[in-house]
Each structure stands twice: as structure tokens, then as C-alpha cells.
Amino acid sequence: MTHDIFISYSSAQSDAAQAVCHLLEQHDIKCWMAPRNLTGGASRINGSLMTSRTDSPLPICPA
């Protein structure tokens, strides 16, 4: 799945990150965020994170 935005957040920001993701996806902006878009296995997780960050035209970090 391709995505438009990579959302990076800490556990303390989880609610805000999920709200931002939901709002963006209501406007047909595809978001990638962990753990929702992670697939199993440590090596696959690392690869998934790296690919998602570098493939995303706009990484965001809610404050």
C-alpha cells in the first residue's frame, strides 16, 4: 500500500496521532503509522519503517 504521509509519534501522543490520521484519511490522504501498518518479524518491521519514512512525501510529527 502506498501512502501520502508517515506519522511519527510517541506513546504519549498516541491519541493526537490517531486523531490526525483519522482526519486526514477522511480527506482521502493515506497515512502510515505504527503499529497499524506494521507487519510481523523484527527484520520486516525495521524494513517497513525505513521504507515508509523514505517513501512518504510528507512525514509529520504531532506535537
Side-chain angles (χ1 to χ4, degrees):
M1 176 181 168
T2 61
H3 59 278
D4 302 308
I5 293 179
F6 177 90
I7 300 176
S8 176
Y9 63 97
S10 72
S11 58
Q13 299 167 318
S14 180
D15 290 340
Q18 289 179 32
V20 167
C21 180
H22 180 73
L23 178 66
L24 292 169
E25 289 182 337
Q26 285 182 326
H27 291 90
D28 297 321
I29 298 170
K30 297 178 198 111
C31 300
W32 191 102
M33 62 186 289
R36 180 184 82 165
N37 297 103
L38 287 174
T39 56
S43 62
R44 291 189 70 187
I45 289 172
N46 289 337
S48 181
L49 285 170
M50 292 304 293
T51 300
S52 297
R53 283 190 300 183
T54 57
D55 287 352
S56 182
L58 180 64
I60 62 171
C61 302

